[in-house]
Amino acid sequence: MHNLGILLSGRGSNFIAIADSIDAGRIADARIALVISNREEAPGIAAARQLGIKALVIPSKGRKREEHDREIVAALKQHSVDLVCLAGYMRLLSPFFVAKYPNRILNIHPSLLPSFPGLESQRQALEYGVKFAGCTVHFVDENLDAGPIILQATVAVLDEDTEASLSEKILKEEHRIYSEAVKIVLEGKFKIAGRRVVAAAF
């Protein structure tokens, strides 16, 4: 049984999507062992508790990144977490954290990386005038939105799209491909060649 740890700062809709995929059997032999937020008011924490999942708040405000990350890693280790999924977690992880979970931390980002990293990716895409936007699931390294890419999905950007409508279209794809990426990583059917994540049959 694989134990997942979810880190979130907000509503946690991708966390809910992963939980639903586990319940439906789309992700086999896995459970969410722990949900952690750096914000007490994060709706995702309340959602986790409603689902009966262990949820912790480890506040980050006013703390050095590595000090905060050490406390999170200790909690993940205590719950035997072997895959960490960032679901709207609004903090850059320290090298200490990344080194503890090499190629075992995933993130979902609402753009086709390497385009539009960081915040407000949907607004950036609209302002740039792209015809396609989308989302990316990638491994996490010490840099912002920069690790090897596991899966991407595209959506068409229409002339009438707003930041809200584009975000909604992208979010539907996020919910779909994040669960797919978790399944790929847990099954181990991949290898990393340079920056490329390549499907591998075993």
Side-chain angles (χ1 to χ4, degrees):
M1 178 68 71
H2 295 285
N3 288 324
L4 275 58
I6 308 284
L7 271 57
L8 55 82
S9 297
R11 60 186 172 174
S13 70
N14 275 299
F15 147 59
I16 298 295
I18 292 170
D20 288 346
S21 289
I22 291 172
D23 288 345
R26 292 189 295 273
I27 301 173
D29 197 30
R31 61 186 282 268
I32 297 174
L34 183 63
V35 175
I36 299 176
S37 180
N38 61 317
R39 296 173 59 238
E40 180 72 57
E41 67 276 16
I45 285 292
R49 289 171 177 156
Q50 285 179 340
L51 292 171
I53 297 171
K54 176 74 174 176
L56 296 177
V57 176
I58 302 177
S60 58
K61 192 171 182 180
R63 300 180 68 189
K64 292 182 178 177
R65 180 175 292 129
E66 185 172 319
E67 174 195 354
H68 182 246
D69 281 359
R70 283 181 180 274
E71 189 173 348
I72 291 176
V73 167
L76 295 171
K77 297 287 187 186
Q78 184 181 351
H79 289 81
S80 302
V81 166
D82 50 17
L83 182 67
V84 180
C85 298
L86 309 185
Y89 187 61
M90 306 305 289
R91 284 177 64 81
L92 188 64
L93 300 186
S94 64
F96 167 82
F97 194 146
V98 174
K100 292 296 182 184
Y101 288 93
N103 297 328
R104 302 302 285 178
I105 307 173
L106 307 185
N107 184 46
I108 183 99
H109 183 74
S111 80
L112 296 172
L113 292 173
S115 297
F116 315 126
L119 299 176
E120 299 182 328
S121 299
Q122 302 92 331
R123 181 184 58 76
Q124 291 183 60
L126 286 170
E127 289 179 353
Y128 202 84
V130 297
K131 301 304 182 186
F132 290 91
C135 50
T136 304
V137 185
H138 63 95
F139 288 109
V140 173
D141 60 19
E142 305 91 47
N143 301 305
L144 178 66
D145 299 328
I149 290 168
I150 304 166
L151 287 176
Q152 291 183 305
T154 61
V155 301
V157 181
L158 306 177
D159 291 342
E160 62 269 23
D161 267 324
T162 63
E163 187 174 349
S165 67
L166 181 58
S167 298
E168 187 177 341
K169 287 195 291 189
I170 291 173
L171 191 61
K172 287 179 183 176
E173 293 300 308
E174 288 182 41
H175 293 166
R176 180 178 66 82
I177 70 167
Y178 209 167
S179 290
E180 289 182 19
V182 169
K183 185 173 186 285
I184 289 168
V185 173
L186 290 181
E187 291 179 349
K189 293 182 178 178
F190 70 94
K191 60 182 179 180
I192 299 176
R195 282 201 48 85
R196 298 181 66 211
V197 178
V198 182
F202 292 93

